[in-house]
Amino acid sequence: MSQKETIHLRDLMPGVLSSMDAIKDSFGYFETHESQQVDRASVEAVMQELTDRLDNNFPYFHPQYAAQMLKPPHPVAMAAYMATMMINPNNHSIDGSRATTEMEREVLAQLREMFGYPAEGLGHLTWSGTTANLEALWISREINPGKAVAHSKDSHYTHSRMAEVLNIPSIGIATEPDGRMSLEALERELQTGKIGVVVATLGTTGLGAVDPLADIIPLARRYGARVHVDTAYGGFFTLIPDELDAETYRHFAAIKDSDSVVVDPHKHGLQPYGCGAVLFPTLDIGKFYKHDSPYTYFASTELHFGEIQLECSRAGASAAALWATLKVFPLTREGLGAVIAPGRRAARNWWNLIEESEVLMAYQKPELDIITYLPKAKSMSQLDEISHKLFVMAADTSRPQQTHLATYVTKQRNLEDRGIHLEWDSPQARIMRSVLMKPEQESLIPEMHWHVEQWTKRAMGLPSGLDG
Ligand SMILES: *Cc1c(COP(=O)(O)O)cnc(C)c1O
């Protein structure tokens, strides 16, 4: 096996820039128009101001940023994106993106295989999970017109919003205490005959809960409803069955029987923002996309992505970045799976520590890499106050010492469902939530947990290991 090493963007860029310049030069030199010429010193000043202003951010790239769903793209993705951006292909049409349309077809084939979809079918990359979900819901509306979208109450808010855009009703289905969609509540809605599509979320954005897809599919089919899988955040956990509970994996394995699926490579796929994907297992839905526009320039008879997507212009650079990344980190257990697994273990290990803590308790057992927990408080108002203090205290120190946590708002009902009973002096309270999506976080957990316990004690006014 070859030796592995850390690679930086600056290592890759010189070679990439000269190769791309050589391609451009091969068409002959031309002078840049004077309207686009610039004063070098003032551009350098702008760049300096830019980087100064970018200092005003939380350290999303750092393992001690254990808050929201944020992480940097891999340098391979960045270098591929920048190389491609230098010619800026548009994956709307083959003519506008010859090489990157081919790359997109290749990555789609890999995504289809990961989910167990047939090799033949429709789908494409998108700018986002939102547009990808919109497209899947639109196709469902065309197939089951006039019917509603059913999604769990914990699903991403995009589903009710996109149902509004599509002018179809949406119905929130209750969740069980483990955060998964209730099958009984779903069946009651299906019995009304009004549901056209059920959205199963495999990895909710808030809690990382996995809806029971393997059971939703036969249920929905019995009532003639389609099943759309929103696994924008969770999709790549398909690669690590050994790290998931058998019950969780059973639902990932059922994606192959769904009618559409959405995954966001810009979440767990090491990509810069602007990379979602929607996939359909069949070709017959192609008829819904028919349009006849005088602006397009389809010179080839092969299918252009512009003919099978809602969006028009779309970055070829995004396809190139994902293509290059998957060459280096293929969609296997040892490839991208090895990047996903440590976060999953980090969440499980932290949960074990929290279960034994005197001052913290778990809100919900993590299924993927999101952990939710709370300080042991007496009342709702005290819970909210301690959570907020903890959140502030953890980050209120010098940069190398900072830990960035996030809070999550929950209600009395959700706490009661999880067997947590407080004095209900307020209808809602913040608890703690961390997305552990950076593999470096696995080894940090024991230390981070110790600190969080001490900050919690301090926020509670108890003696802590930080005193003295
Ligand atoms: C992030 C997310 C979305 C929205 O995707 P964007 O790429 O942010 O537009 C939808 N559904 C789920 C489950 C998500 O995690």
Side-chain angles (χ1 to χ4, degrees):
M1 230 181 83
S2 59
Q3 189 71 35
K4 301 249 172 108
E5 59 179 307
T6 301
I7 200 157
H8 299 281
L9 185 57
R10 62 175 171 270
D11 304 328
L12 295 172
M13 284 318 290
V16 158
L17 290 175
S18 57
S19 300
M20 292 311 295
D21 281 340
I23 291 175
K24 292 168 87 174
D25 291 348
S26 69
F27 289 92
Y29 179 79
F30 66 95
E31 194 76 52
T32 296
H33 188 268
E34 59 185 13
S35 63
Q36 295 201 62
Q37 290 176 352
V38 294
D39 170 54
R40 182 179 298 263
S42 62
V43 169
E44 283 169 359
V46 170
M47 290 299 144
Q48 188 59 53
E49 187 182 347
L50 169 76
T51 50
D52 288 348
R53 291 183 68 163
L54 288 174
D55 188 56
N56 174 25
N57 270 304
F58 296 121
Y60 316 117
F61 50 88
H62 201 284
Q64 277 161 231
Y65 181 87
Q68 309 291 356
M69 209 172 272
L70 289 161
K71 75 188 248 185
H74 195 278
V76 168
M78 291 193 263
Y81 198 103
M82 281 197 259
T84 313
M85 195 172 58
M86 289 172 75
I87 48 173
N88 205 24
N90 182 342
N91 274 27
H92 177 252
S93 81
I94 296 172
D95 318 84
S97 62
R98 294 166 63 89
T100 49
T101 282
E102 282 172 12
M103 290 177 198
E104 181 163 335
R105 290 189 189 135
E106 291 172 35
V107 298
L108 291 170
Q110 293 163 50
L111 290 172
R112 303 181 75 80
E113 193 185 338
M114 175 175 81
F115 289 129
Y117 266 16
E120 286 278 291
L122 289 191
H124 55 87
L125 299 181
T126 61
W127 285 110
S128 71
T130 301
T131 46
N133 277 302
L134 170 63
E135 190 158 322
L137 296 182
W138 167 64
I139 291 290
S140 288
R141 186 196 70 179
E142 296 304 292
I143 292 173
N144 286 329
K147 297 217 166 169
V149 181
H151 53 81
S152 105
K153 285 189 172 154
D154 275 2
S155 72
H156 199 280
Y157 68 88
T158 194
H159 299 291
S160 51
R161 178 179 282 183
M162 290 306 143
E164 270 177 40
V165 172
L166 293 165
N167 198 22
I168 49 179
S170 80
I171 295 171
I173 307 290
T175 52
E176 301 284 355
D178 55 14
R180 300 174 183 166
M181 183 189 282
S182 157
L183 289 167
E184 277 131 60
L186 174 62
E187 183 154 26
R188 278 197 297 281
E189 291 299 338
L190 286 166
Q191 279 165 347
T192 66
K194 290 181 186 154
I195 307 294
V197 58
V198 179
V199 176
T201 306
L202 269 56
T204 56
T205 318
L207 301 173
V210 174
D211 282 342
L213 180 65
D215 307 316
I216 289 172
I217 291 175
L219 193 61
R221 298 268 182 264
R222 211 176 310 144
Y223 294 95
R226 287 170 61 80
V227 178
H228 168 61
V229 179
D230 179 4
T231 192
Y233 145 68
F236 294 110
F237 285 88
T238 307
L239 298 172
I240 56 164
D242 56 311
E243 297 283 1
L244 303 181
D245 291 347
E247 175 63 7
T248 299
Y249 184 66
R250 186 167 76 90
H251 303 303
F252 278 103
I255 295 175
K256 65 178 185 348
D257 300 316
S258 64
D259 298 305
S260 49
V261 62
V262 162
V263 64
D264 264 355
H266 69 205
K267 283 191 177 138
H268 261 304
L270 302 172
Q271 299 308 296
Y273 286 117
C275 192
V278 60
L279 304 169
F280 300 90
T282 58
L283 289 164
D284 57 348
I285 54 148
K287 60 178 180 277
F288 298 113
Y289 291 91
K290 283 258 175 316
H291 65 88
D292 180 18
S293 145
Y295 332 109
T296 46
Y297 44 109
F298 297 149
S300 117
T301 52
E302 279 177 89
L303 204 57
H304 303 255
F305 281 112
E307 296 174 278
I308 52 154
Q309 66 184 20
L310 281 182
E311 296 157 305
C312 296
S313 297
R314 197 158 51 66
S318 187
L322 183 57
W323 175 87
T325 306
L326 297 187
K327 281 272 176 189
V328 181
F329 300 97
L331 295 176
T332 59
R333 178 64 183 82
E334 306 72 38
L336 191 63
V339 181
I340 312 284
R344 164 69 195 132
R345 289 194 295 266
R348 197 173 47 214
N349 295 345
W350 199 356
W351 179 75
N352 283 327
L353 293 170
I354 288 169
E355 285 285 281
E356 288 163 15
S357 173
E358 283 172 19
V359 289
L360 299 172
M361 65 197 291
Y363 179 70
Q364 186 168 298
K365 188 174 177 192
E367 270 189 273
L368 303 177
D369 63 3
I370 297 176
I371 183 147
T372 44
Y373 60 96
L374 54 147
K376 289 182 181 171
K378 291 193 182 67
S379 66
M380 265 318 233
S381 59
Q382 195 196 26
L383 170 59
D384 188 72
E385 187 193 322
I386 298 170
S387 297
H388 181 65
K389 276 190 182 162
L390 172 53
F391 163 77
V392 172
M393 228 184 268
D396 183 23
T397 175
S398 67
R399 284 191 166 191
Q401 304 295 317
Q402 290 176 5
T403 297
H404 294 269
L405 305 170
T407 55
Y408 176 84
V409 177
T410 191
K411 297 195 164 67
Q412 173 179 348
R413 169 74 204 285
N414 300 326
L415 288 161
E416 282 181 321
D417 280 353
R418 290 165 174 83
I420 300 168
H421 300 284
L422 307 175
E423 193 186 311
W424 307 117
D425 59 349
S426 172
Q428 61 181 47
R430 282 168 285 190
I431 62 167
M432 308 307 294
R433 166 175 173 271
S434 281
V435 184
L436 302 172
M437 67 196 307
K438 290 174 278 273
E440 296 84 0
Q441 286 169 330
E442 184 181 11
S443 61
L444 266 187
I445 289 304
E447 194 189 324
M448 204 184 285
H449 172 73
W450 185 85
H451 275 104
V452 169
E453 275 197 318
Q454 307 315 313
W455 289 315
T456 305
K457 285 180 189 169
R458 185 173 272 185
M460 289 173 159
L462 300 172
S464 90
L466 304 163
D467 301 334

